[in-house]
């Protein structure tokens, strides 16, 4: 394979969660340090990377389809380098599939090997064979001081914990991302201070399981302590954290969200099911009653809280009655948004084995999903309607993707607000009045002046 020269163009496909989006920023940072430049389209690139997600089968099929499509492009330009990384790289089935069906792929590397990217590219340059570099043991350490090319100048993602030890029986993440490893607080705080100096105003603390943060460090320092320390960083205005587990979501953490005004009142708490037998089979460590109690305590401490969730329908063995428990829970909680999925069997997980004997048909599962969505959308719209006439602070993100004549902004509770277009408002905070509510977004108009732009100091030391 040819060695890529400085000035070569790269394109990265990114699938899945924010952890993957953050990994893409780090890979782009490495590539730009090596002198490569971003390409607009994969067809125009010398290096194409697929940063993949393994959480459901549909995401995987999309990747296989796109890799197949690039075969013809590479036949025209044999010097093109194609790599697959991210969660799918950690599945042995993927490497087997590539060997059999996609000989035009040059390299495969795992979620733990991102910092070795320059080395992996150099190794691939010396061989025509597929280079495979995936993590094999669970004992990986956290690697610090990675380069990065952040894709937004106002909002930044910051990893705080990698991996997940929870082993929900449907989920592949513990197998692809390994055990929980927290970054040291001083490393995280140093990174956020540097971001603040560069003019970033919002940070989202990332992890598959952010409320497990710190447990592996053994110092007693946890997410609540971290939020209190981030609160003290000048220049950062909003702080978010994703994703939490309803198990071990402590009262101390709820109180920290209530006490630190930079921490947004948005709680993403995947419930997965409203039925206790299914929750037990899923290995979720909480009951329906525990979850409802958590919601009650959150609303008591943070009355403005928006609560969003993830739900799986058609888990192996889920009966119609058990599914109805989920519908009832959705009604009882009143979620502000819900990401809903049909159960997808993942190789190597316990639930995939149970799924072979599941009497419920795919038609029925699809129908359950439709019923759940219909209920959730109606409730969501009603919750949004309560906000008409209210004033709230938003961060203006830029032109709306669907309607570029309008600006898209976000509330602290993570709702989208569309505003009439105005020059110079993107990237700034302002107060808006909500004028209309829809299921997926609000409409509003600016009231009062936007916050003045923060001046970025000339020299940045971190
Ligand atoms: N099938 C369907 N949905 C899944 N999720 C995780 N694993 C699966 C699976 N095997 C969902 C969960 C999780 C979200 C990120 O993806 O709801 O919270
Ligand atoms: Fe997967 Fe469960 Fe870990 Fe979330 S908590 S990443 S669903 S194993």
């Amino acid at each position: 394979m040819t060695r890529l020269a400085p000035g070569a163009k790269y394109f990265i496909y990114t699938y899945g969660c924010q952890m993957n989006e953050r990994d893409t920023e780090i890979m782009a940072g490495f590539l730009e340090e090596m002198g490569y430049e971003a390409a607009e389209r994969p067809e125009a690139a010398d290096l194409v990377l697929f940063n993949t997600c393994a959480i459901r089968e549909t995401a995987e099929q999309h990747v296989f389809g796109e890799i197949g499509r690039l075969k013809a492009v590479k036949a025209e330009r044999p010097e093109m380098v194609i790599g697959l990384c991210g969660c799918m790289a950690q599945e042995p089935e993927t490497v087997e599939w590539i060997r059999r069906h996609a000989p035009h792929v040059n390299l495969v590397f795992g979620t733990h090997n991102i910092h070795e990217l320059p080395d992996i590219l150099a190794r691939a340059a010396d061989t025509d064979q597929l280079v495979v570099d995936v993590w094999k043991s669970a004992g990986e350490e956290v690697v610090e001081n990675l380069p990065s090319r952040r894709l937004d100048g106002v909002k930044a993602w910051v990893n705080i914990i990698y991996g997940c030890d929870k082993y929900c029986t449907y989920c592949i993440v513990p197998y692809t991302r390994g055990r929980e490893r927290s970054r040291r607080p001083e490393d995280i705080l140093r990174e956020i201070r540097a971001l603040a100096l560069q003019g970033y105003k919002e940070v989202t603390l990332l992890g598959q399981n952010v409320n497990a943060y710190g447990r592996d460090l053994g110092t007693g320092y946890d997410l609540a302590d971290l939020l209190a320390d981030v609160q003290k960083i000048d220049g950062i205005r909003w702080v978010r954290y994703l994703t939490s587990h309803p198990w071990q979501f402590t009262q101390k953490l709820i109180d920290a969200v209530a006490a630190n005004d930079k921490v947004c009142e948005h709680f993403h708490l995947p419930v997965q099911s409203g039925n206790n037998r299914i929750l037990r089979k899923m290995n979720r460590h909480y009951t329906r009653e525990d979850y409802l109690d958590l919601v009650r305590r959150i609303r008591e401490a943070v009355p403005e809280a928006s609560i969003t969730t993830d739900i799986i329908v058609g888990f192996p063995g889920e009966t119609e009655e058990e599914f109805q428990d989920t519908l009832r829970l959705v009604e009882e909680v009143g979620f502000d948004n819900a990401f809903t999925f049909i159960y997808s069997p993942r190789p190597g997980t316990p639930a995939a084995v149970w799924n072979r004997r599941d009497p419920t048909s795919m038609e029925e599962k699809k129908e359950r999903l439709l019923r759940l969505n219909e209920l959730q959308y109606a409730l969501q719209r009603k919750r949004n309607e309560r906000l008409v006439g209210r004033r709230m602070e938003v961060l203006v993100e830029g032109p709306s993707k669907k309607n570029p004549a309008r600006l898209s902004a976000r509330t602290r509770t993570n709702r989208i607000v569309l505003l009439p277009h105005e020059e110079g408002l993107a990237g700034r905070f302002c107060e808006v009045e909500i004028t209309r509510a829809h299921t997926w977004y609000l409409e509003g108009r600016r009231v009062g002046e936007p916050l003045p732009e923060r001046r970025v100091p000339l020299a940045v030391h971190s």
Side-chain angles (χ1 to χ4, degrees):
M1 192 185 93
T2 41
R3 194 173 289 270
L4 293 169
K9 297 261 195 264
Y10 71 88
F11 184 91
I12 309 177
Y13 283 87
T14 311
Y15 298 86
C17 64
Q18 281 87 354
M19 307 283 282
N20 266 17
E21 302 221 20
R22 179 71 192 119
D23 285 348
T24 289
E25 292 182 337
I26 292 168
M27 289 193 287
F30 270 117
L31 296 173
E32 301 216 347
E33 270 192 353
M34 294 165 78
Y36 301 174
E37 293 162 14
E40 297 264 313
R41 297 173 302 120
E43 291 81 2
D46 305 295
L47 169 67
V48 177
L49 295 177
F50 286 85
N51 189 3
T52 62
C53 168
I55 204 130
R56 280 171 293 274
E57 209 180 345
T58 42
E60 297 200 341
Q61 283 161 349
H62 202 258
V63 169
F64 290 141
E66 280 297 287
I67 289 180
R69 202 176 62 79
L70 283 187
K71 198 171 197 167
V73 181
K74 183 151 172 174
E76 298 273 309
R77 286 201 295 118
E79 70 286 357
M80 183 186 227
V81 178
I82 301 179
L84 183 144
C85 57
C87 285
M88 278 172 75
Q90 301 289 167
E91 294 180 287
E93 293 83 356
T94 306
V95 178
E96 212 171 286
W97 182 87
I98 286 175
R99 286 196 200 282
R100 259 204 222 144
H101 304 285
H104 58 299
V105 171
N106 304 89
L107 37 116
V108 176
F109 57 100
T111 52
H112 297 248
N113 310 78
I114 280 174
H115 58 283
E116 293 163 15
L117 180 57
D119 178 52
I120 296 167
L121 284 172
R123 276 168 44 212
D126 292 333
T127 173
D128 288 330
Q129 301 288 309
L130 177 68
V131 171
V132 179
D133 198 344
V134 295
W135 139 85
K136 289 171 201 78
S137 78
E140 284 289 324
E141 291 310 315
V142 172
V143 182
E144 289 295 340
N145 300 317
L146 301 175
S148 112
R149 174 181 180 260
R150 285 192 153 89
L151 296 172
D152 187 298
V154 181
K155 301 157 62 138
W157 289 309
V158 175
N159 291 119
I160 64 166
I161 177 169
Y162 301 96
C164 177
D165 290 351
K166 298 293 179 280
Y167 288 96
C168 301
T169 53
Y170 51 81
C171 187
I172 200 155
V173 169
Y175 308 93
T176 62
R177 294 224 169 226
R179 67 175 172 83
E180 286 163 2
R181 290 140 7 251
S182 299
R183 288 179 69 195
R184 294 184 316 163
E186 51 271 36
D187 293 326
I188 298 169
L189 294 167
R190 190 181 313 117
E191 181 175 346
I192 299 177
R193 274 187 217 110
L195 288 169
L197 285 173
Q198 289 163 38
Y200 285 91
K201 300 182 176 83
E202 176 186 307
V203 287
T204 303
L205 311 180
L206 286 184
Q208 300 293 345
N209 231 308
V210 274
N211 48 325
Y213 176 74
R215 296 160 73 85
D216 55 311
L217 297 175
T219 57
Y221 187 94
D222 61 13
L223 180 59
D225 299 318
L226 184 63
L227 290 176
D229 279 339
V230 178
Q231 165 83 24
K232 293 180 206 141
I233 299 180
D234 227 17
I236 297 297
R237 192 167 172 86
W238 286 1
V239 182
R240 302 182 185 277
Y241 53 93
L242 268 179
T243 289
S244 313
H245 195 305
W247 183 42
Q248 295 171 335
F249 199 95
T250 59
Q251 188 62 41
K252 179 181 172 193
L253 181 52
I254 298 175
D255 294 340
V257 177
N260 293 293
D261 65 349
K262 290 184 184 175
V263 182
C264 294
E265 355 355 66
H266 173 212
F267 295 77
H268 184 64
L269 288 165
V271 67
Q272 314 297 3
S273 164
N275 174 269
N276 283 341
R277 188 187 76 88
I278 296 294
L279 286 171
R280 207 166 44 245
K281 287 290 269 185
M282 286 178 162
N283 194 30
R284 291 292 288 176
H285 300 276
Y286 55 84
T287 62
R288 171 195 180 90
E289 292 74 26
D290 294 335
Y291 190 89
L292 289 171
D293 183 58
L294 176 61
V295 168
R296 186 189 56 73
R297 285 184 291 119
I298 288 172
R299 291 202 167 130
E300 200 173 278
V302 187
E304 291 292 312
S306 101
I307 300 179
T308 58
T309 201
D310 296 347
I311 296 172
I312 298 176
V313 304
F315 183 80
E318 181 193 68
T319 64
E320 169 63 26
E321 256 307 301
E322 289 167 337
F323 166 67
Q324 286 182 16
D325 281 341
T326 299
L327 293 181
R328 278 188 284 270
L329 178 117
V330 163
E331 220 160 48
E332 224 168 302
V333 173
F335 290 109
D336 295 279
N337 199 351
F339 299 91
T340 56
F341 311 101
I342 294 181
Y343 167 75
S344 169
R346 306 286 60 221
T349 59
V353 178
W354 308 332
N355 192 55
R356 295 191 202 128
R357 291 187 308 272
D358 188 6
T360 309
S361 68
M362 187 44 94
E363 267 61 55
E364 206 165 329
K365 293 185 182 190
K366 284 186 181 159
E367 203 252 340
R368 281 181 197 169
L369 184 72
L370 284 178
R371 278 155 67 202
L372 172 63
N373 286 345
E374 210 173 295
L375 172 67
Q376 173 55 32
Y377 298 164
L379 293 170
Q380 195 167 307
R381 195 188 168 107
K382 264 196 210 146
R383 289 187 67 77
N384 282 344
E385 275 162 3
R386 299 194 317 195
L387 301 174
V388 174
R390 289 271 297 276
R391 287 184 172 205
M392 50 188 75
E393 188 183 5
V394 295
L395 171 57
V396 182
E397 296 187 335
S400 151
K401 282 203 188 92
K402 285 201 188 119
N403 181 356
R406 295 217 259 174
L407 285 174
S408 180
R410 237 169 238 276
T411 64
R412 289 172 61 96
T413 52
N414 213 33
R415 286 185 171 88
I416 294 171
V417 184
L418 293 188
L419 305 170
H421 186 81
E422 270 184 80
E423 271 324 308
L425 209 55
R428 298 173 79 178
F429 291 91
C430 68
E431 208 186 0
V432 298
E433 185 183 294
I434 303 304
T435 52
R436 251 183 109 172
H438 302 264
T439 307
W440 295 107
Y441 65 97
L442 305 166
E443 288 179 68
R445 60 180 185 90
R446 181 169 67 79
V447 287
E449 286 308 302
L451 276 190
E453 203 100 31
R454 250 173 51 80
R455 291 185 73 87
V456 180
L458 289 176
V460 176
H461 301 284
S462 59

